[in-house]
Amino acid sequence: PGSDCVAAEQLCLSDATCNATYRILENCALAKTRLLPLDHDSKVRCLNAELDLGNSSLLHCKCHRRMKRQEHCLRIFWTVHSSVTDGYFNLETSPYENPANEEHWKTDYNKLAALLSGKNCSQLAGDATNPCLKATHVCNLSKKCVRLRTDYASICTKGAGSEDTCDRRKCHRGLRNFFEKVPEDFTKRILFCPCQDELCGERRRKTIVPDCSFQYNTKPNCLWLLDSCLEDHICKSRLADFQQNCQPADMSPDGCSQHNHAACLQAYMGMIGTPMTPNYISNSSMEISLWCTCESSGNQKEKCDQILGMFESNKCL
Protein backbone atom coordinates (compact mmCIF):
# COMPACT_ATOMS: atom_id res chain seq x y z
CA PRO A 1 0.00 0.00 0.00
CA GLY A 2 1.16 3.52 -0.73
CA SER A 3 3.15 2.68 -3.86
CA ASP A 4 2.37 4.44 -7.10
CA CYS A 5 0.92 2.33 -9.92
CA VAL A 6 3.85 2.77 -12.32
CA ALA A 7 6.26 1.23 -9.77
CA ALA A 8 3.70 -1.45 -8.86
CA GLU A 9 3.27 -2.41 -12.53
CA GLN A 10 7.04 -2.87 -12.98
CA LEU A 11 7.12 -5.09 -9.90
CA CYS A 12 4.20 -7.18 -11.19
CA LEU A 13 5.63 -7.62 -14.70
CA SER A 14 8.81 -9.09 -13.23
CA ASP A 15 6.80 -11.89 -11.60
CA ALA A 16 5.50 -14.59 -14.00
CA THR A 17 2.21 -15.28 -12.15
CA CYS A 18 1.36 -11.62 -11.58
CA ASN A 19 2.33 -10.81 -15.18
CA ALA A 20 -0.09 -13.42 -16.59
CA THR A 21 -2.94 -12.15 -14.37
CA TYR A 22 -2.24 -8.54 -15.35
CA ARG A 23 -2.34 -9.41 -19.07
CA ILE A 24 -5.84 -10.88 -18.60
CA LEU A 25 -6.94 -7.65 -16.89
CA GLU A 26 -5.47 -5.57 -19.74
CA ASN A 27 -7.64 -7.49 -22.22
CA CYS A 28 -10.70 -6.99 -20.00
CA ALA A 29 -10.06 -3.23 -19.80
CA LEU A 30 -9.49 -3.06 -23.57
CA ALA A 31 -12.81 -4.79 -24.27
CA LYS A 32 -14.51 -2.33 -21.94
CA THR A 33 -12.89 0.69 -23.62
CA ARG A 34 -14.06 -0.53 -27.03
CA LEU A 35 -17.52 -1.23 -25.60
CA LEU A 36 -17.31 -4.89 -26.63
CA PRO A 37 -19.87 -6.96 -24.72
CA LEU A 38 -18.21 -9.62 -22.56
CA ASP A 39 -19.88 -13.04 -22.36
CA HIS A 40 -20.48 -14.65 -18.95
CA ASP A 41 -17.24 -16.67 -18.99
CA SER A 42 -15.15 -13.62 -19.88
CA LYS A 43 -16.74 -11.60 -17.09
CA VAL A 44 -15.95 -14.36 -14.59
CA ARG A 45 -12.37 -14.57 -15.90
CA CYS A 46 -11.92 -10.81 -15.49
CA LEU A 47 -13.36 -10.83 -11.97
CA ASN A 48 -11.19 -13.79 -10.95
CA ALA A 49 -8.09 -12.10 -12.34
CA GLU A 50 -8.82 -9.07 -10.16
CA LEU A 51 -9.28 -11.33 -7.13
CA ASP A 52 -6.07 -13.23 -8.00
CA LEU A 53 -4.08 -10.05 -7.51
CA GLY A 54 -4.97 -10.46 -3.83
CA ASN A 55 -2.50 -8.46 -1.79
CA SER A 56 -0.39 -7.43 -4.76
CA SER A 57 0.82 -3.82 -4.55
CA LEU A 58 -1.01 -3.28 -7.85
CA LEU A 59 -4.36 -3.66 -6.12
CA HIS A 60 -3.55 -0.96 -3.57
CA CYS A 61 -1.54 1.44 -5.75
CA LYS A 62 -2.52 5.07 -6.28
CA CYS A 63 -1.43 7.98 -8.50
CA HIS A 64 -0.18 11.43 -7.56
CA ARG A 65 -2.01 14.47 -8.88
CA ARG A 66 1.17 16.15 -10.00
CA MET A 67 3.23 13.17 -11.18
CA LYS A 68 4.98 13.15 -14.56
CA ARG A 69 3.52 9.94 -16.02
CA GLN A 70 0.05 10.59 -14.69
CA GLU A 71 -1.91 9.25 -17.68
CA HIS A 72 0.12 6.03 -17.72
CA CYS A 73 -0.41 5.63 -13.97
CA LEU A 74 -4.17 6.16 -14.29
CA ARG A 75 -4.40 3.66 -17.15
CA ILE A 76 -2.81 1.04 -14.87
CA PHE A 77 -5.21 1.89 -12.02
CA TRP A 78 -8.30 1.47 -14.23
CA THR A 79 -6.90 -1.73 -15.74
CA VAL A 80 -6.75 -3.25 -12.26
CA HIS A 81 -10.08 -1.75 -11.14
CA SER A 82 -12.08 -2.11 -14.34
CA SER A 83 -14.97 -3.82 -12.51
CA VAL A 84 -15.74 -0.67 -10.47
CA THR A 85 -16.57 1.42 -13.53
CA ASP A 86 -20.03 -0.01 -14.18
CA GLY A 87 -22.46 2.87 -13.87
CA TYR A 88 -21.97 6.36 -12.54
CA PHE A 89 -22.42 5.84 -8.84
CA ASN A 90 -19.85 3.06 -8.60
CA LEU A 91 -17.06 5.48 -9.43
CA GLU A 92 -16.25 6.09 -5.80
CA THR A 93 -12.73 4.67 -5.64
CA SER A 94 -10.43 7.60 -6.33
CA PRO A 95 -7.17 6.66 -8.07
CA TYR A 96 -5.45 9.58 -6.35
CA GLU A 97 -3.62 9.35 -3.04
CA ASN A 98 -5.18 11.16 -0.09
CA PRO A 99 -5.01 14.95 -0.34
CA ALA A 100 -1.71 16.08 1.14
CA ASN A 101 -1.25 18.91 3.60
CA GLU A 102 -0.16 21.80 1.42
CA GLU A 103 0.34 24.48 4.09
CA HIS A 104 3.93 25.09 2.96
CA TRP A 105 2.74 26.71 -0.28
CA LYS A 106 0.97 29.47 1.60
CA THR A 107 4.26 31.14 2.51
CA ASP A 108 4.92 31.70 -1.20
CA TYR A 109 1.59 33.41 -1.73
CA ASN A 110 1.73 35.47 1.49
CA LYS A 111 5.27 36.65 0.74
CA LEU A 112 4.23 37.88 -2.70
CA ALA A 113 0.99 39.40 -1.39
CA ALA A 114 3.00 41.36 1.20
CA LEU A 115 5.36 42.53 -1.54
CA LEU A 116 2.36 43.63 -3.58
CA SER A 117 0.74 45.62 -0.77
CA GLY A 118 3.97 47.59 -0.39
CA LYS A 119 3.78 48.85 -3.97
CA ASN A 120 2.19 52.22 -4.72
CA CYS A 121 0.90 51.36 -8.18
CA SER A 122 -2.23 53.08 -9.41
CA GLN A 123 -3.29 49.82 -11.09
CA LEU A 124 -3.69 48.25 -7.64
CA ALA A 125 -6.28 50.75 -6.47
CA GLY A 126 -9.09 48.34 -7.28
CA ASP A 127 -7.56 45.46 -5.31
CA ALA A 128 -9.42 46.22 -2.10
CA THR A 129 -12.82 45.87 -3.75
CA ASN A 130 -11.82 43.22 -6.28
CA PRO A 131 -10.10 40.23 -4.63
CA CYS A 132 -10.02 38.45 -8.02
CA LEU A 133 -7.88 41.27 -9.41
CA LYS A 134 -5.53 41.06 -6.43
CA ALA A 135 -5.19 37.27 -6.84
CA THR A 136 -4.25 37.86 -10.49
CA HIS A 137 -1.67 40.51 -9.57
CA VAL A 138 -0.09 38.13 -7.03
CA CYS A 139 -0.02 35.42 -9.70
CA ASN A 140 1.81 37.86 -11.99
CA LEU A 141 4.63 38.10 -9.44
CA SER A 142 5.25 34.35 -9.64
CA LYS A 143 7.09 33.33 -12.83
CA LYS A 144 5.48 29.90 -13.00
CA CYS A 145 1.97 31.20 -12.27
CA VAL A 146 2.06 33.99 -14.83
CA ARG A 147 3.69 31.78 -17.52
CA LEU A 148 1.17 28.95 -17.26
CA ARG A 149 -1.76 31.35 -16.94
CA THR A 150 -0.65 33.24 -20.05
CA ASP A 151 -0.21 29.91 -21.86
CA TYR A 152 -3.75 28.68 -21.37
CA ALA A 153 -5.27 32.15 -21.85
CA SER A 154 -3.65 32.52 -25.28
CA ILE A 155 -4.64 28.98 -26.39
CA CYS A 156 -8.22 29.34 -25.14
CA THR A 157 -8.85 32.74 -26.72
CA LYS A 158 -7.74 31.73 -30.23
CA GLY A 159 -10.85 31.79 -32.37
CA ALA A 160 -13.14 32.46 -29.40
CA GLY A 161 -16.33 34.24 -30.35
CA SER A 162 -16.57 32.75 -33.83
CA GLU A 163 -18.26 29.48 -34.77
CA ASP A 164 -16.70 27.12 -32.22
CA THR A 165 -13.25 27.37 -33.78
CA CYS A 166 -11.14 27.41 -30.63
CA ASP A 167 -9.18 24.20 -30.01
CA ARG A 168 -11.06 22.95 -26.95
CA ARG A 169 -8.77 19.96 -26.42
CA LYS A 170 -5.65 22.16 -26.33
CA CYS A 171 -7.45 24.70 -24.14
CA HIS A 172 -8.37 21.94 -21.67
CA ARG A 173 -4.79 20.68 -21.62
CA GLY A 174 -3.52 24.20 -20.90
CA LEU A 175 -6.00 24.58 -18.03
CA ARG A 176 -5.03 21.21 -16.52
CA ASN A 177 -1.39 22.25 -16.78
CA PHE A 178 -2.09 25.45 -14.89
CA PHE A 179 -4.11 23.79 -12.11
CA GLU A 180 -1.65 20.89 -11.75
CA LYS A 181 1.66 22.72 -11.87
CA VAL A 182 0.99 26.03 -10.10
CA PRO A 183 0.87 25.77 -6.29
CA GLU A 184 -2.74 25.43 -5.15
CA ASP A 185 -2.66 28.47 -2.96
CA PHE A 186 -2.38 30.62 -6.09
CA THR A 187 -4.94 28.69 -8.15
CA LYS A 188 -7.51 28.48 -5.32
CA ARG A 189 -7.39 32.23 -4.74
CA ILE A 190 -7.85 32.97 -8.45
CA LEU A 191 -10.74 30.51 -8.84
CA PHE A 192 -12.56 31.02 -5.53
CA CYS A 193 -11.99 34.73 -4.86
CA PRO A 194 -14.90 36.21 -2.83
CA CYS A 195 -16.78 38.87 -4.79
CA GLN A 196 -19.10 41.67 -3.67
CA ASP A 197 -19.97 43.05 -7.12
CA GLU A 198 -20.61 41.85 -10.67
CA LEU A 199 -17.37 43.25 -12.08
CA CYS A 200 -15.42 40.97 -9.76
CA GLY A 201 -17.87 38.12 -10.44
CA GLU A 202 -17.36 38.49 -14.18
CA ARG A 203 -13.61 38.22 -13.74
CA ARG A 204 -14.05 35.09 -11.59
CA ARG A 205 -16.45 33.48 -14.10
CA LYS A 206 -14.04 34.17 -16.96
CA THR A 207 -11.03 32.69 -15.15
CA ILE A 208 -11.23 29.55 -17.28
CA VAL A 209 -12.09 31.36 -20.57
CA PRO A 210 -15.56 29.73 -20.71
CA ASP A 211 -16.24 30.58 -24.39
CA CYS A 212 -13.73 27.88 -25.27
CA SER A 213 -13.34 25.56 -22.28
CA PHE A 214 -16.94 25.41 -21.04
CA GLN A 215 -19.61 26.46 -23.55
CA TYR A 216 -20.62 24.70 -26.75
CA ASN A 217 -22.94 26.38 -29.27
CA THR A 218 -25.80 24.27 -27.94
CA LYS A 219 -26.01 22.54 -24.57
CA PRO A 220 -25.34 18.81 -24.95
CA ASN A 221 -27.18 16.23 -22.84
CA CYS A 222 -25.39 15.58 -19.51
CA LEU A 223 -25.34 11.83 -20.24
CA TRP A 224 -23.34 12.54 -23.41
CA LEU A 225 -20.95 14.62 -21.32
CA LEU A 226 -20.60 11.73 -18.86
CA ASP A 227 -19.91 9.23 -21.67
CA SER A 228 -17.18 11.53 -23.07
CA CYS A 229 -15.70 11.68 -19.57
CA LEU A 230 -15.71 7.93 -18.96
CA GLU A 231 -13.83 7.34 -22.23
CA ASP A 232 -10.95 9.49 -20.97
CA HIS A 233 -8.66 8.16 -18.21
CA ILE A 234 -7.97 11.60 -16.75
CA CYS A 235 -11.60 12.74 -16.73
CA LYS A 236 -12.83 9.43 -15.31
CA SER A 237 -10.21 9.65 -12.55
CA ARG A 238 -11.06 13.26 -11.68
CA LEU A 239 -14.75 12.39 -11.59
CA ALA A 240 -14.07 9.47 -9.23
CA ASP A 241 -11.98 11.80 -7.04
CA PHE A 242 -14.75 14.42 -7.12
CA GLN A 243 -17.38 11.85 -6.16
CA GLN A 244 -15.29 10.58 -3.28
CA ASN A 245 -14.30 13.94 -1.84
CA CYS A 246 -17.45 15.96 -2.57
CA GLN A 247 -19.98 13.27 -1.64
CA PRO A 248 -22.81 15.16 0.09
CA ALA A 249 -24.23 13.93 3.41
CA ASP A 250 -27.57 15.39 4.55
CA MET A 251 -27.07 14.48 8.21
CA SER A 252 -23.58 15.97 8.41
CA PRO A 253 -23.25 19.54 9.82
CA ASP A 254 -20.82 20.53 7.04
CA GLY A 255 -22.77 18.73 4.31
CA CYS A 256 -19.81 16.48 3.42
CA SER A 257 -19.44 12.78 4.05
CA GLN A 258 -15.61 13.13 4.13
CA HIS A 259 -15.62 16.34 6.24
CA ASN A 260 -12.76 17.77 4.20
CA HIS A 261 -13.68 20.92 2.29
CA ALA A 262 -10.11 21.48 1.06
CA ALA A 263 -10.12 18.02 -0.55
CA CYS A 264 -13.50 18.75 -2.19
CA LEU A 265 -12.23 22.06 -3.64
CA GLN A 266 -9.08 20.29 -4.85
CA ALA A 267 -11.25 17.64 -6.55
CA TYR A 268 -13.47 20.35 -8.08
CA MET A 269 -10.39 22.08 -9.54
CA GLY A 270 -9.36 18.71 -10.96
CA MET A 271 -12.53 18.65 -13.10
CA ILE A 272 -11.50 21.85 -14.90
CA GLY A 273 -9.86 21.03 -18.21
CA THR A 274 -11.80 17.77 -18.69
CA PRO A 275 -14.85 17.09 -20.90
CA MET A 276 -16.91 17.68 -17.71
CA THR A 277 -15.48 21.14 -16.98
CA PRO A 278 -17.73 23.05 -14.52
CA ASN A 279 -17.97 26.84 -14.10
CA TYR A 280 -19.90 29.66 -12.41
CA ILE A 281 -23.29 30.17 -14.04
CA SER A 282 -23.41 33.97 -13.67
CA ASN A 283 -21.52 37.09 -12.54
CA SER A 284 -23.72 37.59 -9.52
CA SER A 285 -23.63 34.23 -7.73
CA MET A 286 -21.30 31.49 -6.50
CA GLU A 287 -23.54 28.83 -8.07
CA ILE A 288 -21.78 26.48 -10.45
CA SER A 289 -22.95 23.99 -13.04
CA LEU A 290 -21.93 21.82 -15.99
CA TRP A 291 -22.73 23.10 -19.48
CA CYS A 292 -25.38 20.51 -20.24
CA THR A 293 -29.10 19.81 -20.03
CA CYS A 294 -31.29 16.89 -18.98
CA GLU A 295 -34.04 17.60 -21.49
CA SER A 296 -34.77 14.67 -23.83
CA SER A 297 -33.16 12.15 -21.47
CA GLY A 298 -36.10 9.75 -21.78
CA ASN A 299 -36.05 6.97 -19.20
CA GLN A 300 -32.57 8.04 -18.05
CA LYS A 301 -33.77 11.41 -16.76
CA GLU A 302 -33.15 10.43 -13.12
CA LYS A 303 -29.55 9.41 -13.82
CA CYS A 304 -29.03 12.62 -15.79
CA ASP A 305 -30.43 14.75 -12.94
CA GLN A 306 -28.07 13.02 -10.49
CA ILE A 307 -25.05 13.93 -12.63
CA LEU A 308 -26.12 17.56 -12.90
CA GLY A 309 -27.09 17.61 -9.20
CA MET A 310 -23.56 16.60 -8.16
CA PHE A 311 -22.55 20.10 -9.27
CA GLU A 312 -25.70 22.26 -9.07
CA SER A 313 -27.18 21.24 -5.72
CA ASN A 314 -24.31 19.64 -3.86
CA LYS A 315 -24.30 20.84 -0.22
CA CYS A 316 -20.72 19.68 0.28
CA LEU A 317 -19.42 21.63 -2.72
Side-chain angles (χ1 to χ4, degrees), residues 22-269:
Y22 185 59
R23 295 303 175 201
I24 294 170
L25 286 171
E26 278 189 316
N27 289 331
C28 300
L30 195 64
K32 206 153 203 173
T33 309
R34 292 180 179 164
L35 300 176
L36 301 171
L38 292 172
D39 58 34
H40 177 71
D41 289 350
S42 300
K43 279 181 182 170
V44 171
R45 190 163 57 247
C46 293
L47 211 54
N48 285 341
E50 206 169 303
L51 293 170
D52 284 345
L53 283 179
N55 286 324
S56 152
S57 56
L58 257 180
L59 204 59
H60 305 286
C61 71
K62 293 277 187 180
C63 300
H64 307 293
R65 287 169 180 82
R66 293 167 179 252
M67 69 189 294
K68 274 185 180 162
R69 298 176 68 192
Q70 187 179 162
E71 281 189 64
H72 179 61
C73 184
L74 295 172
R75 183 184 60 75
I76 298 164
F77 179 89
W78 291 116
T79 297
V80 177
H81 294 278
S82 63
S83 67
V84 302
T85 62
D86 282 330
Y88 174 62
F89 281 94
N90 291 344
L91 267 189
E92 282 168 21
T93 307
S94 173
Y96 292 108
E97 86 292 358
N98 289 337
N101 177 4
E102 279 135 8
E103 284 295 314
H104 62 281
W105 274 330
K106 289 198 165 66
T107 51
D108 260 3
Y109 185 94
N110 292 337
K111 239 184 257 176
L112 291 177
L115 188 67
L116 196 64
S117 59
K119 289 187 176 182
N120 282 325
C121 304
S122 55
Q123 70 182 78
L124 304 182
D127 280 1
T129 54
N130 193 335
C132 293
L133 198 59
K134 180 171 183 182
T136 306
H137 285 321
V138 177
C139 171
N140 290 346
L141 293 178
S142 157
K143 278 183 188 167
K144 184 182 257 189
C145 190
V146 73
R147 177 171 57 82
L148 291 171
R149 187 170 164 272
T150 307
D151 281 356
Y152 85 71
S154 64
I155 298 164
C156 299
T157 46
K158 276 178 191 163
S162 52
E163 277 295 297
D164 209 22
T165 49
C166 79
D167 192 328
R168 183 172 281 113
R169 195 180 284 268
K170 274 188 178 173
C171 172
H172 280 167
R173 199 183 307 131
L175 278 165
R176 288 202 308 272
N177 238 353
F178 175 73
F179 285 105
E180 278 174 27
K181 293 181 178 174
V182 175
E184 276 183 13
D185 204 50
F186 289 86
T187 54
K188 272 183 183 168
R189 284 172 201 252
I190 285 175
L191 194 63
F192 304 122
C193 40
C195 289
Q196 303 297 321
D197 59 53
E198 291 204 8
L199 198 69
C200 176
E202 170 78 346
R203 191 176 188 93
R204 181 174 62 194
R205 192 180 64 80
K206 288 199 166 168
T207 296
I208 66 164
V209 197
D211 287 352
C212 185
S213 68
F214 178 67
Q215 288 166 221
Y216 294 77
N217 288 336
T218 53
K219 277 191 178 183
N221 186 281
C222 300
L223 294 167
W224 177 83
L225 220 57
L226 175 68
D227 287 341
S228 308
C229 183
L230 296 181
E231 286 167 14
D232 176 287
H233 282 311
I234 285 189
C235 189
K236 180 164 68 172
S237 303
R238 303 294 172 84
L239 181 60
D241 196 49
F242 178 80
Q243 273 196 268
Q244 180 177 296
N245 291 301
C246 295
Q247 194 63 250
D250 288 338
M251 304 305 287
S252 168
D254 64 0
C256 299
S257 62
Q258 299 285 332
H259 311 297
N260 188 343
H261 280 117
C264 177
L265 292 183
Q266 184 182 48
Y268 171 84
M269 286 197 297

